[in-house]
Amino acid sequence: MTALAAVIRRDMRVALRVGGGALIGVLFFLTVVVLMPFAVGPDLALLKKLGPAILWLGALLASLLTLDRLFTADHDDGSLDLIVMGRTPLELVCAAKALAHWLAVGLPLVAATPVLGLLLNLDAVATGAVALTLLAGTPALTFTGMVGAALAVVLRRGGLLLSVLVLPLSIPVLIFGVAASNAAISGPSPFGTPFSILCALSLSSLVIGPFAAAASLRHGLD
């Protein structure tokens, strides 16, 4: 547990420093939300209707933008080989690194949602609903993307391969996240059903993601 806590602290310090990825994700999220009203036009009703989808799409792309940093730095300086050969189970190390990434990147996106929702003509109830669905769904984006990040490192194909692998797996999270947000805001569909599926996707990725990423790293670094 001490080793895992050290991994989390180290990755969070790296992510929070200038150029580490956390600030890049929030700035990208802000850019997407600020530019969208200019593209939609002055129709406030349409902007409010599209608000949850815009926030979710911005959060997905911001999370994807920073996923390649999960293992790249460790691979470049050789510490990834030491992690693979270490005593701590690689699955737990992958889970710790994904948790640190979510705390440094995903959680700030959730915290910024109530403020950015004002730019999309969303009231307090609507922004709260979107923030709640992002809190439940962004872990799925991180732990699913971790598998693509591991494959991108071992195959040396970088961001293009990461996007091709992760985007299709992120579509169910996007669908049920937007559906739960719209159900909470306008109805008449029940909120519980898509929100429960969204939570199930996060929990399943939490279980499967570390094992899949660890298997990819072991196979690629052998």
Side-chain angles (χ1 to χ4, degrees):
M1 295 303 295
T2 304
L4 296 178
V7 170
I8 293 174
R9 288 195 302 269
R10 171 186 175 274
D11 281 20
M12 287 191 65
R13 283 198 300 266
V14 171
L16 293 175
R17 70 186 183 188
V18 176
L23 183 61
I24 294 175
V26 174
L27 289 178
F28 183 84
F29 189 34
L30 175 64
T31 303
V32 171
V33 175
V34 168
L35 292 180
M36 198 59 65
F38 293 100
V40 173
D43 190 344
L44 294 180
L46 178 61
L47 195 62
K48 183 176 182 179
K49 184 177 181 180
L50 295 177
I54 294 171
L55 289 171
W56 256 99
L57 188 59
L60 188 153
L61 295 176
S63 179
L64 180 64
L65 184 67
T66 57
L67 277 174
D68 63 331
R69 300 171 183 266
L70 262 177
F71 300 108
T72 302
D74 294 329
H75 182 267
D76 292 341
D77 63 14
S79 59
L80 186 59
D81 295 318
L82 298 178
I83 292 174
V84 172
M85 295 184 296
R87 294 182 179 180
T88 306
L90 185 57
E91 292 80 5
L92 293 179
V93 175
C94 290
K97 292 180 72 66
L99 177 60
H101 179 274
W102 182 79
L103 290 174
V105 177
L107 201 57
L109 298 180
V110 177
T113 299
V115 178
L116 298 181
L118 299 175
L119 301 176
L120 301 174
N121 195 35
L122 296 177
D123 55 24
V125 175
T127 54
V130 177
L132 179 62
T133 57
L134 284 174
L135 183 64
T138 47
L141 299 178
T142 298
F143 280 88
T144 302
M146 176 177 56
V147 182
L151 288 173
V153 165
V154 298
L155 296 178
R156 306 177 190 274
R157 294 295 186 273
L160 179 61
L161 178 61
L162 179 62
S163 301
V164 171
L165 290 173
V166 175
L167 273 178
L169 299 176
S170 302
I171 290 176
V173 181
L174 178 66
I175 291 173
F176 289 107
V178 175
S181 301
N182 289 329
I185 295 171
S186 58
S189 302
F191 170 75
T193 302
F195 185 73
S196 299
I197 297 176
L198 185 64
C199 293
L201 289 173
S202 291
L203 291 175
S204 60
S205 66
L206 177 64
V207 174
I208 299 173
F211 287 94
S216 300
L217 293 174
R218 286 196 184 97
H219 179 73
L221 297 176
D222 283 345

